[in-house]
Amino acid sequence: MEQAILRINNISGQLTGKCPFKAHGGEVGKCPYKVGGISGQNLDQSKAWSLINVTAGNVESVTPIKVLVTGAAGQIAYSLMFMIASGQMFGPHQPVILHLLDIPKMADALKGVVMELQDCSYPLLHSVVATTDIQTAFLHINVAILVGAFPRGPGMQRKDLLKVNVSIFKEQGEALNKYASRGVKVLVVGNPANTNALTALMKASDLPTSNFSALTRLDQNRAQSMISEKVGVNVDNVRNVIIWGNHSQTQVPDVNHGYILNCPNRGLIEPIQSSVNDDKWLNEQFIPLVQNRGATVIAARKLSSAASAANAIVGHVRDWLLGTKDGEHVSMAVYSDGSYNVPKGLIFSFPVTCRNGQWSIVQGLKINSSTQQKIDATTKELQEEKETAMSFLN
């Protein structure tokens, strides 16, 4: 497929957003910070990645960032790219150039996606490069969102799935190493996401390991939504839920360090455990509900999560590149440095804070014995996946 290029004039846009709350610790207490909303995205230049413009003005004078989406004709990407183009990922003052990659048999569908993007007339969408050529797709990109992967079919063993995807992410890691910007930020979404991210990282040896991550934000969002429903509060008030480990059924949802704003009354904060007040539900129902949510969605709609996955991708990248809110952490699968006794060299989901395009693993959290056992199990699974993937890679 010849690359298709779409150009749209830029006009500054405005979005509205809520002022983030600051809260410290998990004890019930009076919130010392003003509760209220402000206009705009409340973007802080001191927290944002240097390539992101957060200042209002004429966006035509702002250098667009190049964002690659693979599997671009698929259902997750279809939900995602319109969110990117509208400013939901990088804010209302940062133009983008979308690079869209898919396999040759999806070339016609990709042309249709380009037409729809054109028909939306997004002010922040500078241009679109739609292609089936990997060099064209990866050339000089600043952000790579690797959605495309080989899906697990009926009767397919996990080992067979890993073998196929190692081939895909080996090629994409090499392309990142050869063609992408040296500061490129990489988010792997296609499953098995943690090990696919590790495969790409291993083949992009010239790039920092800190540039790679895998998506567990969807699991975090699912967990927070379930807690909000259980307690009867707005989901935006549920903070610091953690997902440890693998994006699989061994993932470890952890609310032990989370809290709820404006609970039990406005201006107060309360630990999630105290608000739920049902340890049996937290331990026996909540965790498997989160772990199996993806399968439950498939059983209901006969298709995997798409819009919710796209929303999670936006949240993951936005927090990574624009910075996390004060007093909050988010879950990202990143390259382990040995924190919490997780072996170095795994892509493992940790609680992190982000500033200036860099993530930092939150340190010093106390892990109870029940949670530790689950973390050990997900660690074991990731080690086994790594060994299998490396056997194919080598």
Side-chain angles (χ1 to χ4, degrees):
M1 174 185 179
E2 295 182 1
Q3 80 179 47
I5 300 180
L6 159 69
R7 299 197 176 277
I8 298 175
N9 291 331
N10 290 302
I11 305 171
S12 179
Q14 296 290 334
L15 300 177
T16 59
K18 293 181 179 179
C19 177
F21 297 109
K22 293 181 180 180
H24 298 279
E27 297 181 1
V28 177
K30 193 171 183 179
C31 180
Y33 302 94
K34 183 178 180 180
V35 176
I38 63 171
S39 63
Q41 282 288 84
N42 196 43
L43 302 180
D44 185 348
Q45 185 67 66
S46 69
K47 289 185 177 182
W49 191 30
S50 60
L51 295 187
I52 305 296
N53 176 59
V54 300
T55 305
N58 182 6
V59 297
E60 290 186 5
S61 63
V62 178
T63 302
I65 59 171
K66 296 181 178 181
V67 184
L68 167 65
V69 179
T70 70
Q75 60 167 346
I76 294 176
Y78 187 78
S79 294
L80 173 65
M81 61 187 69
F82 299 96
M83 299 172 79
I84 298 172
S86 66
Q88 294 181 55
M89 181 174 283
F90 302 108
H93 313 301
Q94 178 57 57
V96 297
I97 296 173
L98 282 175
H99 284 219
L100 308 181
L101 175 68
D102 216 312
I103 58 178
K105 74 174 184 178
M106 302 303 294
D108 287 341
L110 203 51
K111 291 177 183 177
V113 171
V114 172
M115 286 187 277
E116 286 210 75
L117 283 165
Q118 182 177 21
D119 294 346
C120 287
S121 297
Y122 288 118
L124 294 172
L125 184 58
H126 182 276
S127 61
V128 177
V129 178
T131 184
T132 59
D133 176 68
I134 197 162
Q135 178 177 345
T136 302
F138 280 78
L139 191 63
H140 305 317
I141 56 169
N142 306 114
V143 176
I145 304 172
L146 307 183
V147 179
F150 193 87
R152 189 171 186 171
M156 191 176 192
Q157 298 299 312
R158 193 168 185 85
K159 182 177 180 180
D160 298 327
L161 180 67
L162 282 166
K163 183 176 182 179
V164 176
N165 280 296
V166 161
S167 176
I168 294 170
F169 285 88
K170 173 180 180 291
E171 181 184 32
Q172 293 186 356
E174 291 169 344
L176 286 164
N177 203 52
K178 188 172 182 180
Y179 304 121
S181 163
R182 298 302 82 184
V184 64
K185 306 296 186 182
V186 182
L187 170 59
V188 175
V189 179
N191 289 317
N194 296 55
T195 301
N196 287 343
L198 183 61
T199 299
L201 179 157
M202 298 278 287
K203 300 309 293 185
S205 56
D206 294 338
L207 302 178
T209 57
S210 60
N211 286 20
F212 289 79
S213 65
L215 186 72
T216 54
R217 183 62 168 265
L218 177 55
D219 306 306
Q220 176 192 314
N221 289 349
R222 288 165 169 167
Q224 289 178 171
S225 176
M226 291 177 193
I227 292 296
S228 75
E229 185 175 1
K230 179 71 173 177
V231 178
V233 298
N234 187 287
V235 70
D236 190 48
N237 289 352
V238 181
R239 307 294 175 90
N240 290 7
V241 173
I242 299 169
I243 303 296
W244 301 95
N246 200 4
H247 176 61
S248 73
Q249 290 183 330
T250 69
Q251 65 178 264
V252 186
D254 179 6
V255 302
N256 293 312
H257 308 283
Y259 58 88
I260 298 179
L261 292 167
N262 295 322
C263 189
N265 298 303
R266 186 171 178 82
L268 302 180
I269 59 174
E270 184 174 51
I272 289 174
Q273 281 185 306
S274 299
S275 295
V276 173
N277 194 29
D278 188 344
D279 288 345
K280 182 178 176 65
W281 180 83
L282 283 172
N283 295 323
E284 297 180 12
Q285 296 183 52
F286 166 70
I287 291 176
L289 279 171
V290 178
Q291 291 172 328
N292 293 287
R293 183 66 162 193
T296 304
V297 170
I298 291 173
R301 69 183 297 259
K302 314 308 177 189
L303 293 167
S304 61
S305 302
S308 58
N311 178 68
I313 293 166
V314 169
H316 176 115
V317 176
R318 183 183 60 231
D319 285 341
W320 188 4
L321 301 187
L322 295 177
T324 48
K325 298 174 184 177
D326 292 338
E328 291 186 39
H329 51 68
V330 295
S331 296
M332 290 174 57
V334 297
Y335 193 75
S336 173
D337 61 359
S339 294
Y340 298 98
N341 296 316
V342 174
K344 293 181 180 180
L346 295 178
I347 297 290
F348 193 95
S349 185
F350 291 99
V352 303
T353 57
C354 303
R355 190 181 184 92
N356 303 133
Q358 299 295 325
W359 50 263
S360 299
I361 297 172
V362 176
Q363 299 294 329
L365 299 178
K366 294 182 179 179
I367 310 297
N368 63 37
S369 59
S370 175
T371 302
Q372 187 60 59
Q373 289 178 355
K374 295 178 177 66
I375 290 175
D376 291 343
T378 197
T379 300
K380 183 174 183 291
E381 180 182 60
L382 280 169
Q383 288 177 305
E384 291 171 350
E385 283 189 15
K386 178 182 177 180
E387 291 172 4
T388 302
M390 293 309 104
S391 69
F392 296 131
L393 193 61
N394 296 328

